[in-house]
Amino acid sequence: VMLLDSPTNHLDLESIQAFNNTLIRFKGNILMSSHDHEFIQTVCNRIIEIGPKGMIDKRMDYDDFVADEKLTESRSKLY
């Protein structure tokens, strides 16, 4: 298991791309938080959003998670 907190925060574009490719090939589990939309979209296949009133756990890519109207309604109930 690899635990990452904003892993691309202070990296240049070339380093982010190399790190991204490494994580895609990583065989274990990765738990991370990030504000880097492109990085999340390419690396993550499960999104867990935690709010003060519960959580949402979905196996899908990030763009689908954000665009899903049903999940938008569920997310509004988390906060």
Side-chain angles (χ1 to χ4, degrees):
V1 174
M2 191 181 310
L3 183 60
L4 306 170
D5 181 20
S6 300
T8 60
N9 198 25
H10 295 288
L11 299 178
D12 60 33
L13 183 57
E14 186 177 338
S15 298
I16 291 171
Q17 289 171 336
F19 188 50
N20 189 20
N21 292 335
T22 300
L23 291 181
I24 289 170
R25 292 188 306 268
F26 183 69
K27 299 296 182 196
N29 293 316
I30 302 167
L31 303 173
M32 74 173 191
S33 65
S34 179
H35 297 280
D36 187 334
H37 179 97
E38 185 67 27
F39 190 73
I40 294 170
Q41 178 62 24
T42 58
V43 175
C44 300
N45 61 6
R46 181 176 179 184
I47 309 297
I48 302 172
E49 183 170 350
I50 302 170
K53 297 180 182 175
M55 67 179 249
I56 299 171
D57 181 357
K58 293 290 181 185
R59 285 196 178 274
M60 58 190 348
D61 68 29
Y62 187 67
D63 284 343
D64 291 341
F65 182 83
V66 172
D68 189 310
E69 291 182 21
K70 189 175 178 182
L71 289 176
T72 301
E73 186 179 315
S74 296
R75 278 197 311 276
S76 68
K77 294 176 184 176
L78 288 179
Y79 300 97

Coordinates of all heavy atoms in Angstrom, one line a residue:
V1 N 0.9 -1.2 0.0 CA 0.0 0.0 0.0 C 0.9 1.2 0.0 O 1.9 1.3 0.7 CB -0.9 0.0 1.2 CG1 -1.7 1.3 1.3 CG2 -1.9 -1.1 1.2
M2 N 0.5 2.2 -0.9 CA 1.2 3.5 -0.9 C 0.2 4.6 -0.5 O -0.9 4.6 -1.0 CB 1.8 3.7 -2.3 CG 2.7 4.9 -2.4 SD 3.3 5.2 -4.1 CE 3.9 3.6 -4.6
L3 N 0.6 5.4 0.4 CA -0.2 6.5 0.9 C 0.4 7.8 0.4 O 1.6 8.1 0.8 CB -0.3 6.5 2.4 CG -1.2 7.5 3.1 CD1 -2.6 7.4 2.6 CD2 -1.1 7.3 4.6
L4 N -0.4 8.6 -0.3 CA 0.2 9.9 -0.9 C -0.7 11.0 -0.6 O -2.0 10.9 -0.7 CB 0.2 9.7 -2.4 CG 1.0 8.6 -3.0 CD1 0.8 8.4 -4.5 CD2 2.5 8.7 -2.7
D5 N -0.1 12.1 -0.2 CA -0.9 13.4 0.1 C -0.4 14.4 -0.8 O 0.7 14.9 -0.7 CB -0.6 13.8 1.6 CG -1.4 15.0 2.0 OD1 -2.4 15.4 1.3 OD2 -1.0 15.7 3.0
S6 N -1.2 14.8 -1.8 CA -0.9 15.8 -2.8 C 0.5 15.5 -3.4 O 1.4 16.4 -3.4 CB -0.9 17.2 -2.2 OG -2.2 17.5 -1.7
P7 N 0.6 14.4 -4.1 CA 1.9 14.0 -4.5 C 2.5 14.8 -5.7 O 3.7 14.8 -5.9 CB 1.7 12.5 -5.0 CG 0.2 12.5 -5.4 CD -0.4 13.4 -4.4
T8 N 1.7 15.6 -6.4 CA 2.2 16.4 -7.5 C 2.4 17.8 -7.1 O 2.7 18.7 -8.0 CB 1.3 16.3 -8.7 OG1 0.0 16.8 -8.3 CG2 1.2 14.8 -9.2
N9 N 2.2 18.2 -5.9 CA 2.2 19.5 -5.4 C 3.4 20.4 -5.8 O 3.2 21.5 -6.2 CB 2.0 19.6 -3.9 CG 1.5 20.9 -3.4 OD1 0.9 21.7 -4.1 ND2 1.8 21.2 -2.1
H10 N 4.6 19.9 -5.7 CA 5.8 20.7 -6.0 C 6.6 20.1 -7.1 O 7.8 20.2 -7.1 CB 6.6 20.8 -4.7 CG 6.0 21.6 -3.6 ND1 5.7 23.0 -3.7 CD2 5.4 21.2 -2.5 CE1 5.1 23.4 -2.6 NE2 4.9 22.3 -1.9
L11 N 6.0 19.4 -8.0 CA 6.7 18.7 -9.1 C 6.5 19.5 -10.4 O 5.5 20.1 -10.6 CB 6.2 17.3 -9.3 CG 6.4 16.3 -8.1 CD1 5.8 15.0 -8.5 CD2 7.8 16.2 -7.7
D12 N 7.5 19.4 -11.3 CA 7.4 20.0 -12.6 C 6.6 19.0 -13.5 O 6.4 17.9 -13.1 CB 8.7 20.4 -13.2 CG 9.7 19.2 -13.4 OD1 9.2 18.1 -13.6 OD2 10.9 19.5 -13.2
L13 N 6.2 19.4 -14.7 CA 5.4 18.6 -15.6 C 6.1 17.3 -15.9 O 5.4 16.2 -15.9 CB 5.0 19.4 -16.8 CG 4.1 18.7 -17.8 CD1 2.8 18.3 -17.1 CD2 3.8 19.6 -19.0
E14 N 7.4 17.3 -16.2 CA 8.1 16.1 -16.6 C 8.1 15.1 -15.4 O 7.9 13.9 -15.6 CB 9.5 16.5 -17.0 CG 10.3 15.3 -17.5 CD 11.7 15.7 -18.0 OE1 11.9 16.9 -18.3 OE2 12.5 14.8 -18.0
S15 N 8.3 15.6 -14.2 CA 8.3 14.7 -13.0 C 6.9 14.1 -12.8 O 6.8 13.0 -12.4 CB 8.8 15.5 -11.8 OG 10.1 15.9 -12.0
I16 N 5.9 15.0 -13.0 CA 4.5 14.5 -12.8 C 4.2 13.4 -13.8 O 3.6 12.3 -13.4 CB 3.5 15.6 -12.9 CG1 3.6 16.6 -11.8 CG2 2.1 15.1 -13.0 CD1 2.8 17.9 -11.9
Q17 N 4.6 13.5 -15.0 CA 4.4 12.5 -16.0 C 5.1 11.2 -15.7 O 4.5 10.1 -15.8 CB 4.8 13.0 -17.4 CG 3.8 14.1 -17.9 CD 4.4 14.7 -19.2 OE1 5.5 14.7 -19.5 NE2 3.4 15.3 -20.0
A18 N 6.3 11.3 -15.3 CA 7.1 10.1 -14.9 C 6.5 9.4 -13.7 O 6.3 8.2 -13.7 CB 8.6 10.5 -14.6
F19 N 6.1 10.2 -12.7 CA 5.4 9.6 -11.5 C 4.1 9.0 -11.9 O 3.8 7.9 -11.4 CB 5.3 10.8 -10.5 CG 4.8 10.3 -9.1 CD1 5.4 9.2 -8.5 CD2 3.7 10.9 -8.5 CE1 5.0 8.8 -7.2 CE2 3.3 10.5 -7.3 CZ 4.0 9.4 -6.6
N20 N 3.3 9.7 -12.7 CA 2.0 9.1 -13.2 C 2.2 7.8 -13.8 O 1.5 6.8 -13.5 CB 1.4 10.1 -14.2 CG 0.0 9.8 -14.5 OD1 -0.7 9.0 -13.9 ND2 -0.4 10.3 -15.6
N21 N 3.2 7.6 -14.7 CA 3.4 6.4 -15.4 C 3.9 5.3 -14.4 O 3.5 4.1 -14.5 CB 4.5 6.5 -16.5 CG 4.0 7.4 -17.6 OD1 2.8 7.5 -17.9 ND2 4.9 8.0 -18.3
T22 N 4.6 5.7 -13.4 CA 5.1 4.7 -12.4 C 3.9 4.2 -11.6 O 3.7 3.0 -11.3 CB 6.1 5.4 -11.4 OG1 7.2 5.8 -12.2 CG2 6.5 4.4 -10.4
L23 N 3.0 5.1 -11.2 CA 1.8 4.7 -10.4 C 0.8 3.8 -11.2 O 0.2 2.9 -10.7 CB 1.1 5.9 -9.9 CG 1.8 6.7 -8.8 CD1 1.0 7.9 -8.4 CD2 2.2 5.8 -7.6
I24 N 0.7 4.1 -12.5 CA -0.1 3.3 -13.4 C 0.3 1.8 -13.4 O -0.4 0.9 -13.4 CB -0.2 3.8 -14.8 CG1 -1.1 5.1 -14.8 CG2 -0.9 2.9 -15.8 CD1 -1.0 5.9 -16.0
R25 N 1.7 1.6 -13.3 CA 2.2 0.3 -13.4 C 2.3 -0.4 -12.0 O 2.6 -1.5 -11.8 CB 3.6 0.3 -14.0 CG 3.6 0.6 -15.5 CD 5.0 0.5 -16.1 NE 6.0 1.2 -15.4 CZ 6.4 2.5 -15.8 NH1 5.8 3.1 -16.8 NH2 7.4 3.1 -15.1
F26 N 2.1 0.4 -10.9 CA 2.2 -0.1 -9.5 C 1.2 -1.2 -9.3 O 0.0 -1.0 -9.6 CB 2.0 1.1 -8.6 CG 2.2 0.7 -7.1 CD1 3.4 0.4 -6.6 CD2 1.1 0.8 -6.3 CE1 3.6 0.1 -5.3 CE2 1.2 0.4 -4.9 CZ 2.5 0.1 -4.4
K27 N 1.6 -2.3 -8.7 CA 0.7 -3.4 -8.6 C -0.1 -3.4 -7.3 O -1.0 -4.2 -7.1 CB 1.5 -4.7 -8.6 CG 2.2 -5.0 -9.9 CD 1.3 -5.1 -11.1 CE 2.1 -5.4 -12.3 NZ 1.3 -5.2 -13.5
G28 N 0.3 -2.6 -6.3 CA -0.4 -2.5 -5.0 C -1.5 -1.5 -5.0 O -2.0 -1.0 -6.1
N29 N -2.0 -1.2 -3.8 CA -3.1 -0.2 -3.6 C -2.5 1.1 -3.3 O -1.5 1.2 -2.6 CB -4.0 -0.6 -2.5 CG -4.8 -1.9 -2.8 OD1 -5.3 -2.0 -3.9 ND2 -4.8 -2.8 -1.8
I30 N -3.1 2.2 -3.9 CA -2.6 3.5 -3.6 C -3.8 4.3 -3.0 O -4.9 4.3 -3.6 CB -2.2 4.2 -4.9 CG1 -1.1 3.4 -5.6 CG2 -1.8 5.7 -4.7 CD1 -0.8 3.9 -7.0
L31 N -3.6 4.9 -1.9 CA -4.6 5.8 -1.2 C -4.0 7.2 -1.4 O -2.8 7.4 -0.9 CB -4.8 5.5 0.2 CG -5.2 4.0 0.5 CD1 -5.2 3.8 2.0 CD2 -6.5 3.7 0.0
M32 N -4.8 8.1 -1.9 CA -4.2 9.5 -2.1 C -5.3 10.5 -2.1 O -6.4 10.3 -2.3 CB -3.4 9.6 -3.4 CG -4.2 9.6 -4.7 SD -3.1 10.0 -6.0 CE -4.3 10.3 -7.3
S33 N -4.8 11.7 -1.7 CA -5.6 12.9 -1.8 C -4.8 13.9 -2.8 O -3.6 13.9 -2.7 CB -5.8 13.6 -0.5 OG -4.6 14.0 0.0
S34 N -5.6 14.6 -3.6 CA -4.9 15.4 -4.6 C -5.9 16.5 -5.1 O -7.1 16.2 -5.1 CB -4.3 14.6 -5.7 OG -3.7 15.4 -6.7
H35 N -5.4 17.6 -5.6 CA -6.2 18.6 -6.2 C -5.9 18.6 -7.7 O -6.4 19.4 -8.5 CB -5.9 20.0 -5.7 CG -6.3 20.1 -4.2 ND1 -7.6 20.3 -3.8 CD2 -5.5 20.0 -3.1 CE1 -7.6 20.4 -2.5 NE2 -6.4 20.2 -2.0
D36 N -5.1 17.7 -8.2 CA -4.6 17.6 -9.6 C -5.6 16.8 -10.4 O -5.5 15.5 -10.4 CB -3.2 17.1 -9.7 CG -2.6 17.1 -11.0 OD1 -3.4 17.1 -12.0 OD2 -1.4 17.1 -11.1
H37 N -6.5 17.4 -11.0 CA -7.6 16.7 -11.7 C -7.1 15.7 -12.8 O -7.5 14.5 -12.8 CB -8.5 17.7 -12.5 CG -9.6 17.1 -13.2 ND1 -10.9 17.0 -12.7 CD2 -9.6 16.5 -14.5 CE1 -11.6 16.4 -13.6 NE2 -10.9 16.1 -14.7
E38 N -6.1 16.1 -13.6 CA -5.6 15.2 -14.6 C -4.9 14.0 -14.0 O -5.1 12.8 -14.5 CB -4.6 15.9 -15.5 CG -4.1 15.1 -16.7 CD -5.2 14.8 -17.7 OE1 -6.1 15.6 -17.8 OE2 -5.0 13.8 -18.4
F39 N -4.2 14.2 -12.9 CA -3.5 13.1 -12.2 C -4.5 12.1 -11.7 O -4.4 10.9 -11.8 CB -2.6 13.7 -11.1 CG -1.7 12.7 -10.5 CD1 -0.6 12.3 -11.2 CD2 -1.9 12.3 -9.2 CE1 0.3 11.4 -10.6 CE2 -1.1 11.4 -8.6 CZ 0.0 10.9 -9.3
I40 N -5.5 12.6 -11.0 CA -6.6 11.7 -10.5 C -7.3 11.0 -11.6 O -7.5 9.8 -11.5 CB -7.6 12.6 -9.7 CG1 -7.0 13.2 -8.4 CG2 -8.8 11.7 -9.3 CD1 -7.9 14.2 -7.8
Q41 N -7.6 11.6 -12.7 CA -8.3 11.0 -13.8 C -7.5 9.8 -14.4 O -8.1 8.8 -14.7 CB -8.6 12.0 -14.9 CG -9.3 11.5 -16.1 CD -10.7 10.8 -15.8 OE1 -11.3 11.1 -14.8 NE2 -11.1 9.9 -16.7
T42 N -6.2 10.0 -14.5 CA -5.4 8.9 -15.1 C -5.0 7.8 -14.2 O -4.7 6.7 -14.6 CB -4.1 9.5 -15.8 OG1 -3.4 10.2 -14.8 CG2 -4.5 10.5 -16.9
V43 N -4.9 8.1 -12.9 CA -4.4 7.1 -12.0 C -5.5 6.3 -11.2 O -5.4 5.1 -11.0 CB -3.4 7.7 -11.0 CG1 -2.9 6.7 -9.9 CG2 -2.2 8.3 -11.7
C44 N -6.5 7.0 -10.8 CA -7.5 6.5 -9.9 C -8.7 5.7 -10.6 O -9.1 6.2 -11.7 CB -8.1 7.6 -9.1 SG -6.9 8.4 -8.1
N45 N -9.1 4.6 -10.1 CA -10.2 3.9 -10.6 C -11.3 3.7 -9.5 O -12.3 3.0 -9.7 CB -9.8 2.6 -11.2 CG -9.2 1.6 -10.2 OD1 -9.1 1.9 -9.0 ND2 -8.7 0.5 -10.7
R46 N -11.1 4.3 -8.3 CA -12.1 4.2 -7.3 C -12.0 5.5 -6.5 O -10.9 6.0 -6.1 CB -11.7 3.1 -6.3 CG -12.7 2.9 -5.2 CD -12.3 1.7 -4.3 NE -13.2 1.5 -3.2 CZ -13.1 0.6 -2.3 NH1 -12.1 -0.2 -2.4 NH2 -14.0 0.5 -1.3
I47 N -13.1 6.2 -6.4 CA -13.2 7.5 -5.7 C -14.0 7.3 -4.4 O -15.1 6.8 -4.4 CB -14.0 8.5 -6.6 CG1 -13.4 8.5 -8.0 CG2 -14.0 9.9 -6.0 CD1 -11.9 9.0 -8.1
I48 N -13.4 7.8 -3.3 CA -14.0 7.8 -2.0 C -14.1 9.3 -1.6 O -13.0 9.9 -1.4 CB -13.3 6.9 -1.0 CG1 -13.2 5.5 -1.5 CG2 -14.0 7.0 0.4 CD1 -12.3 4.6 -0.6
E49 N -15.3 9.8 -1.4 CA -15.4 11.2 -0.9 C -16.0 11.1 0.5 O -17.0 10.5 0.7 CB -16.3 12.0 -1.8 CG -16.4 13.4 -1.4 CD -17.1 14.3 -2.4 OE1 -17.3 13.9 -3.6 OE2 -17.4 15.5 -2.0
I50 N -15.3 11.7 1.4 CA -15.7 11.7 2.8 C -16.1 13.1 3.2 O -15.4 14.1 3.0 CB -14.5 11.2 3.7 CG1 -14.1 9.8 3.3 CG2 -14.9 11.3 5.2 CD1 -12.8 9.4 3.9
G51 N -17.3 13.2 3.8 CA -17.8 14.5 4.3 C -18.3 14.3 5.7 O -18.3 13.2 6.3
P52 N -18.7 15.4 6.3 CA -19.1 15.4 7.7 C -20.3 14.5 8.0 O -20.5 14.0 9.1 CB -19.3 16.8 8.1 CG -19.3 17.6 6.9 CD -18.7 16.8 5.8
K53 N -21.1 14.3 7.0 CA -22.3 13.5 7.2 C -22.3 12.1 6.5 O -23.3 11.5 6.2 CB -23.5 14.3 6.7 CG -23.8 15.6 7.4 CD -25.0 16.3 6.9 CE -25.2 17.6 7.6 NZ -26.2 18.4 7.0
G54 N -21.1 11.6 6.2 CA -21.0 10.3 5.6 C -20.0 10.2 4.5 O -19.1 11.1 4.4
M55 N -20.1 9.2 3.6 CA -19.1 9.1 2.5 C -19.8 8.4 1.3 O -20.8 7.8 1.4 CB -17.9 8.2 3.0 CG -18.2 6.8 3.3 SD -16.8 5.9 3.8 CE -16.5 4.8 2.4
I56 N -19.1 8.6 0.2 CA -19.5 8.0 -1.1 C -18.3 7.2 -1.6 O -17.2 7.7 -1.6 CB -19.9 9.0 -2.1 CG1 -21.1 9.8 -1.7 CG2 -20.2 8.3 -3.5 CD1 -21.4 11.0 -2.6
D57 N -18.5 5.9 -1.9 CA -17.4 5.0 -2.4 C -17.9 4.4 -3.7 O -18.8 3.6 -3.8 CB -17.2 4.0 -1.3 CG -16.1 3.0 -1.7 OD1 -15.5 3.1 -2.8 OD2 -15.8 2.1 -0.8
K58 N -17.2 4.8 -4.8 CA -17.6 4.3 -6.2 C -16.4 3.9 -6.9 O -15.3 4.5 -6.9 CB -18.3 5.4 -7.0 CG -19.6 5.9 -6.4 CD -20.6 4.8 -6.6 CE -22.0 5.2 -6.1 NZ -23.0 4.1 -6.1
R59 N -16.5 2.8 -7.7 CA -15.5 2.3 -8.6 C -15.8 2.9 -10.0 O -16.7 2.4 -10.7 CB -15.5 0.8 -8.7 CG -14.9 0.1 -7.5 CD -14.6 -1.3 -7.8 NE -13.9 -1.9 -6.7 CZ -12.6 -1.9 -6.4 NH1 -11.8 -1.3 -7.3 NH2 -12.1 -2.5 -5.4
M60 N -15.2 4.0 -10.3 CA -15.4 4.7 -11.6 C -14.3 5.7 -11.7 O -13.6 6.0 -10.7 CB -16.8 5.4 -11.6 CG -17.0 6.4 -10.5 SD -18.7 7.0 -10.3 CE -19.6 6.6 -11.7
D61 N -14.1 6.2 -12.9 CA -13.1 7.3 -13.0 C -13.6 8.6 -12.5 O -14.8 8.8 -12.4 CB -12.5 7.3 -14.4 CG -13.4 7.8 -15.5 OD1 -14.3 8.6 -15.2 OD2 -13.3 7.4 -16.7
Y62 N -12.7 9.5 -12.3 CA -13.1 10.8 -11.6 C -14.0 11.6 -12.5 O -15.0 12.2 -11.9 CB -11.8 11.6 -11.3 CG -12.1 12.8 -10.5 CD1 -12.5 12.7 -9.2 CD2 -11.9 14.1 -11.0 CE1 -12.8 13.8 -8.4 CE2 -12.2 15.2 -10.3 CZ -12.6 15.1 -9.0 OH -12.9 16.2 -8.2
D63 N -13.8 11.7 -13.8 CA -14.7 12.5 -14.6 C -16.1 12.0 -14.6 O -17.1 12.8 -14.5 CB -14.2 12.6 -16.1 CG -13.0 13.5 -16.2 OD1 -12.8 14.3 -15.4 OD2 -12.3 13.4 -17.3
D64 N -16.3 10.7 -14.6 CA -17.7 10.1 -14.4 C -18.3 10.4 -13.1 O -19.4 10.7 -12.9 CB -17.6 8.6 -14.7 CG -17.3 8.3 -16.1 OD1 -17.5 9.2 -17.0 OD2 -16.9 7.1 -16.4
F65 N -17.4 10.4 -12.0 CA -17.9 10.6 -10.7 C -18.4 12.1 -10.6 O -19.5 12.3 -10.0 CB -16.7 10.4 -9.7 CG -17.0 10.6 -8.3 CD1 -17.7 9.6 -7.5 CD2 -16.7 11.8 -7.6 CE1 -18.0 9.8 -6.2 CE2 -17.0 12.0 -6.3 CZ -17.6 11.0 -5.6
V66 N -17.7 13.0 -11.1 CA -18.0 14.4 -11.1 C -19.3 14.7 -11.9 O -20.1 15.5 -11.5 CB -16.9 15.3 -11.5 CG1 -17.3 16.8 -11.6 CG2 -15.7 15.2 -10.5
A67 N -19.4 14.1 -13.1 CA -20.5 14.3 -14.0 C -21.8 13.6 -13.6 O -22.9 14.1 -14.1 CB -20.1 13.9 -15.4
D68 N -21.8 12.6 -12.8 CA -23.0 11.8 -12.5 C -24.0 12.7 -11.7 O -23.6 13.0 -10.6 CB -22.6 10.6 -11.7 CG -23.7 9.6 -11.6 OD1 -24.8 10.0 -11.1 OD2 -23.5 8.4 -11.9
E69 N -25.1 12.9 -12.2 CA -26.1 13.8 -11.6 C -26.6 13.2 -10.3 O -26.9 13.9 -9.3 CB -27.3 14.1 -12.5 CG -26.9 15.0 -13.6 CD -28.1 15.3 -14.5 OE1 -29.2 15.2 -14.1 OE2 -27.8 15.8 -15.7
K70 N -26.8 11.8 -10.3 CA -27.2 11.2 -9.0 C -26.2 11.3 -7.9 O -26.6 11.5 -6.8 CB -27.5 9.7 -9.4 CG -28.1 8.9 -8.3 CD -28.4 7.5 -8.7 CE -29.0 6.7 -7.6 NZ -29.3 5.3 -8.0
L71 N -25.0 11.2 -8.3 CA -23.9 11.4 -7.3 C -23.8 12.9 -6.8 O -23.5 13.1 -5.7 CB -22.6 10.9 -7.8 CG -22.4 9.4 -7.9 CD1 -21.1 9.0 -8.6 CD2 -22.6 8.7 -6.6
T72 N -24.1 13.8 -7.7 CA -24.1 15.2 -7.3 C -25.1 15.5 -6.2 O -24.8 16.2 -5.2 CB -24.4 16.1 -8.5 OG1 -23.5 15.9 -9.6 CG2 -24.4 17.6 -8.2
E73 N -26.2 14.8 -6.3 CA -27.3 14.9 -5.3 C -26.8 14.3 -4.0 O -27.0 14.9 -2.9 CB -28.6 14.2 -5.8 CG -29.7 14.4 -4.9 CD -31.0 13.7 -5.4 OE1 -31.2 13.9 -6.6 OE2 -31.7 13.0 -4.6
S74 N -26.2 13.1 -4.1 CA -25.6 12.4 -2.9 C -24.5 13.3 -2.2 O -24.4 13.3 -1.0 CB -25.1 11.1 -3.3 OG -26.1 10.2 -3.7
R75 N -23.7 13.9 -3.1 CA -22.6 14.7 -2.5 C -23.1 15.9 -1.8 O -22.6 16.3 -0.8 CB -21.6 15.2 -3.6 CG -20.6 14.1 -4.0 CD -19.4 14.7 -4.8 NE -19.8 15.5 -5.9 CZ -20.1 15.1 -7.1 NH1 -20.1 13.8 -7.4 NH2 -20.4 15.9 -8.1
S76 N -24.2 16.5 -2.3 CA -24.8 17.7 -1.6 C -25.2 17.3 -0.2 O -25.2 18.1 0.7 CB -25.9 18.3 -2.4 OG -27.0 17.5 -2.4
K77 N -25.6 16.0 0.0 CA -26.1 15.6 1.3 C -25.0 15.3 2.3 O -25.2 15.2 3.5 CB -27.0 14.3 1.2 CG -28.3 14.6 0.4 CD -29.0 13.3 0.2 CE -30.3 13.6 -0.6 NZ -31.0 12.3 -0.9
L78 N -23.7 15.2 1.8 CA -22.6 14.9 2.7 C -22.2 16.2 3.5 O -21.5 16.0 4.5 CB -21.4 14.5 1.8 CG -21.3 13.2 1.2 CD1 -20.1 13.0 0.4 CD2 -21.5 12.1 2.2
Y79 N -22.5 17.4 3.0 CA -22.0 18.6 3.6 C -23.1 19.5 4.2 O -24.2 19.5 4.0 CB -21.2 19.4 2.6 CG -20.1 18.6 2.0 CD1 -20.2 17.9 0.8 CD2 -18.9 18.5 2.7 CE1 -19.2 17.1 0.3 CE2 -17.8 17.8 2.2 CZ -18.0 17.1 1.0 OH -16.9 16.3 0.5

